[in-house]
RNA sequence: UCCGCAGUAGCUCAAUGGCAGAGCAUUCGGCUGUUAACCGAAGGGUUGUAGGUUCGAGUCCUACCUGCGGAGCCA
């Protein structure tokens, strides 16, 4: 059987081919029957004409949505088809005739669709989003691989809070200790960067925050590159290039999917380096101006961390993603290097996506000095013993080094232009959503 | 954790405190080019749960459950 996939049909015009897939939807018009068949690569309309084969027509007519079928037919060019071709059915094998598929081609609510997520991912829109996710992941990895970064993944079970800030998921780890699900591979990356020079990890991370907004998942994927002998500027340069590369690849490879999502691609086409880079002091000024103009409800004070409305306002001032750098050290994790001129500032940078999608990249330069780090750990009330291995990195060949993390789902949500990150991962985990 | 909104047929939603309704889906019938096809007919209900007010509650009140949006927190 010469099985052909829907996305290859254009190369088989005039030939008789076999499609293996599922019935997406069907329409009938008396003696004509239109079967929309999907096979994972696309959807094609298959036409059955009653007088040509009456029993085949009756079989085809009885098929329910999502019935699994093998269709044989002749590929025909047709201007009316969205993909340029359709199939004139000559034979039909029913693997399973389905009754009562829950997701109909009409509107459904979020709760219903999320309860049926395992089936929802068969639909056009979800397909487009998840294919774009695939390309974002692939492009990210290609980008780092091509620059000599070594994939060295960090563990998911960790003995302690890596930054000591966010709420962690706790699990029993055999007889004695509790373990925690990682919230970032960063500390481990610093070790692998000292081993390989340039390294990255790519995996799921977990946050037990009780956040329920369109930007939050409890389990999400993060790519975290780390570089030895690198500075804050190196981090911003790398993140900027990486984001541009990823957007470019999606524009190249996923135009059709962006179209399905009705994404305004002109907004993506102008994502080119350099991105604006603003100092925290300047960001504060912009936010205070925003308050004066009445665009923000609360007056932002120097020293605070940005809330969601602040981030949205800041990003709305620019068409490109914008870096904010040199945050007050007091609102950042213990491991940040300090600014030499102004030690109250941390050498960190966040990248805010345009159109209010929030922070997609966060990173910076790590503390170099052993004594400084020891002091930081003490001041943050972190258990010193747990960080001994980390302190070793400052004892044995410490170098200036830096890195960042990029949240895959927020990045995908921004590129797709969709409302909520829950659609950017096959099976989202959220505050009130653990199933399916 | 806090604030706000919602829950009625398989799904999406209507119903001034007064007979429980429509579209889609399903089943049956019609149609040779449909694009969420269309046209006709039929079946389909413990109105989230428990209590209360009322002659009468889907509708008003209280509590709880479930979900949604947001805040805080976070990427």
């Amino acid at each position: 059987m010469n099985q052909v996939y829907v996305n290859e049909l254009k190369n088989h015009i005039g030939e008789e081919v076999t499609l293996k897939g599922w019935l997406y939807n069907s329409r009938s018009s008396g003696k004509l029957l239109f079967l929309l068949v999907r096979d994972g690569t696309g959807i094609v309309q298959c036409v059955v004409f009653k007088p040509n084969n009456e029993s085949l027509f009756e079989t085809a007519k009885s098929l329910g949505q999502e019935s699994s079928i093998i269709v044989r037919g002749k590929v025909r060019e047709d201007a009316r088809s969205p993909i340029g071709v359709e199939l004139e059915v000559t034979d039909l094998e029913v693997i399973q005739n389905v009754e009562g598929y829950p997701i109909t081609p009409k509107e459904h609510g979020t709760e219903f669709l999320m309860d049926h997520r395992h089936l929802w991912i068969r639909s056009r829109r979800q397909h487009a989003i998840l294919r774009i996710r695939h390309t974002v992941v692939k492009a990210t990895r290609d980008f780092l691989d091509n620059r000599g970064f070594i994939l060295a993944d960090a563990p998911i079970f960790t003995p302690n809070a890596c930054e000591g800030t966010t709420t962690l998921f706790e699990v029993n780890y055999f007889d004695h200790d509790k373990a925690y699900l990682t919230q970032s591979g960063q500390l481990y990356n610093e070790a692998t960067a000292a081993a390989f020079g340039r390294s990255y990890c790519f995996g799921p991370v977990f946050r037990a925050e009780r956040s329920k907004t369109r930007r939050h998942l409890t389990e999400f994927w993060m790519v975290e590159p780390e570089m030895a002998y690198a500075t804050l500027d190196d981090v911003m340069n790398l993140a900027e290039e990486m984001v541009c590369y990823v957007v470019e690849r999606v524009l190249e490879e996923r135009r059709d999917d962006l179209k399905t999502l009705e994404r305004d691609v002109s907004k993506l086409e102008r994502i080119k380096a350099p991105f604006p880079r603003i100092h925290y002091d300047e960001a504060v000024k912009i936010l205070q101006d925003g308050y004066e103009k009445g665009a923000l409800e609360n007056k932002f004070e120097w020293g605070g961390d940005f809330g969601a409305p602040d981030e949205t306002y800041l990003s709305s001032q620019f068409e490109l993603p914008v870096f904010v750098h040199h945050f007050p050290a007091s609102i950042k994790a213990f491991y940040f290097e300090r600014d030499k001129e102004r030690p109250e500032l941390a050498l960190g940078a966040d990248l805010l996506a345009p159109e209010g999608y929030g922070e997609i990249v966060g990173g910076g330069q790590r503390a170099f000095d052993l004594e400084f780090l020891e002091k930081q750990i003490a001041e943050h009330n972190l258990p010193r013993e747990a960080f001994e291995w980390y302190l070793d990195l400052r004892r044995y060949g410490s170098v200036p080094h830096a890195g960042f993390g990029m949240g895959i789902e927020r990045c995908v949500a921004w590129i797709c232009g969709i409302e909520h990150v829950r659609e950017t991962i096959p099976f989202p985990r959220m505050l009130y959503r653990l199933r399916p």
Side-chain angles (χ1 to χ4, degrees), chain A residues 77 80 117 236 393 430:
Chain A
E77 215 165 359
R80 289 164 294 192
R117 181 64 177 168
M236 289 194 277
L393 303 174
M430 295 175 288

Side-chain angles (χ1 to χ4, degrees), chain A residues 237-401:
Chain A
N237 291 339
L238 187 75
E240 179 178 278
E241 280 179 66
M242 190 167 100
V243 168
C244 289
Y245 179 78
V246 168
V247 170
E248 209 174 289
R249 278 277 295 269
V250 172
L251 283 169
E252 258 169 45
E253 298 172 16
R254 296 290 171 215
R255 283 250 162 204
D256 290 350
D257 292 322
L258 290 170
K259 200 176 163 193
T260 299
L261 298 170
E262 296 175 326
R263 179 62 162 128
D264 180 356
V265 288
S266 70
K267 284 187 173 152
L268 295 178
E269 278 161 346
R270 50 171 181 253
I271 304 302
K272 301 271 185 231
F275 297 162
R277 299 180 183 189
I278 59 174
H279 194 283
Y280 177 84
D281 291 346
E282 199 181 334
V284 172
K285 214 179 296 165
I286 292 171
L287 291 175
Q288 289 177 345
D289 282 354
Y291 173 74
E292 301 295 332
K293 286 180 193 156
L296 285 167
E297 261 178 54
N298 299 309
K299 183 167 185 189
F300 191 85
E301 298 296 344
W302 196 99
D305 205 353
F306 306 138
D310 303 318
E311 281 187 358
T312 303
Y313 182 76
L314 274 175
S315 69
S316 74
Q317 304 302 298
F318 303 90
E319 286 193 337
L320 290 167
V322 55
F323 283 107
V324 181
H325 54 81
H326 287 86
F327 288 88
S330 57
I331 57 168
K332 288 286 168 187
F334 74 94
Y335 50 70
F336 276 93
E337 187 66 281
R338 299 297 179 88
D339 185 20
K340 282 211 168 54
E341 318 282 301
R342 290 173 62 187
E344 77 277 16
L345 297 180
L347 296 183
D350 286 354
L351 182 65
L352 305 179
E355 304 167 63
Y357 283 92
E359 183 186 338
I360 52 170
V361 166
Q365 194 171 328
R366 324 303 188 189
F368 165 86
D369 185 66
L370 175 65
E371 267 179 49
F372 172 73
L373 252 190
E374 285 172 330
K375 229 175 73 194
Q376 283 297 297
I377 288 170
E379 275 177 25
H380 283 78
N381 292 316
L382 297 170
R384 165 73 185 255
E385 329 75 68
F387 290 92
E388 278 305 326
W389 70 268
Y390 183 66
L391 292 169
D392 267 355
L393 303 174
R394 273 70 182 179
R395 291 188 184 106
Y396 308 113
S398 189
V399 295
H401 63 291

Side-chain angles (χ1 to χ4, degrees), chain A residues 147-188:
Chain A
R147 264 153 225 263
F149 282 77
I150 295 294
L151 176 70
D153 281 319
I156 287 175
F157 285 130
T158 61
N160 55 276
C162 120
E163 305 182 16
T165 50
T166 65
T167 318
L168 301 176
F169 285 103
E170 194 181 272
V171 293
N172 290 319
Y173 202 75
F174 300 115
D175 302 331
H176 21 291
D177 289 353
K178 294 283 181 195
Y180 303 89
L181 299 186
T182 185
Q183 51 139 330
S184 161
Q186 202 230 292
L187 300 191
Y188 295 94

Side-chain angles (χ1 to χ4, degrees), chain A residues 183-247:
Chain A
Q183 51 139 330
S184 161
Q186 202 230 292
L187 300 191
Y188 295 94
N189 281 343
E190 293 186 46
T192 60
F196 295 102
R198 303 185 138 204
S199 63
Y200 71 103
C201 66
F202 199 134
V205 294
F206 308 86
R207 306 279 166 100
E209 309 287 343
R210 301 181 81 82
S211 301
K212 39 190 262 97
T213 78
R214 63 176 64 129
R215 296 179 305 281
H216 288 89
L217 298 170
T218 55
E219 175 184 318
F220 64 98
W221 285 66
M222 196 152 71
V223 58
E224 298 176 85
E226 189 77 23
M227 302 173 281
Y229 292 103
T231 64
L232 174 62
D233 282 337
D234 295 326
V235 159
M236 289 194 277
N237 291 339
L238 187 75
E240 179 178 278
E241 280 179 66
M242 190 167 100
V243 168
C244 289
Y245 179 78
V246 168
V247 170

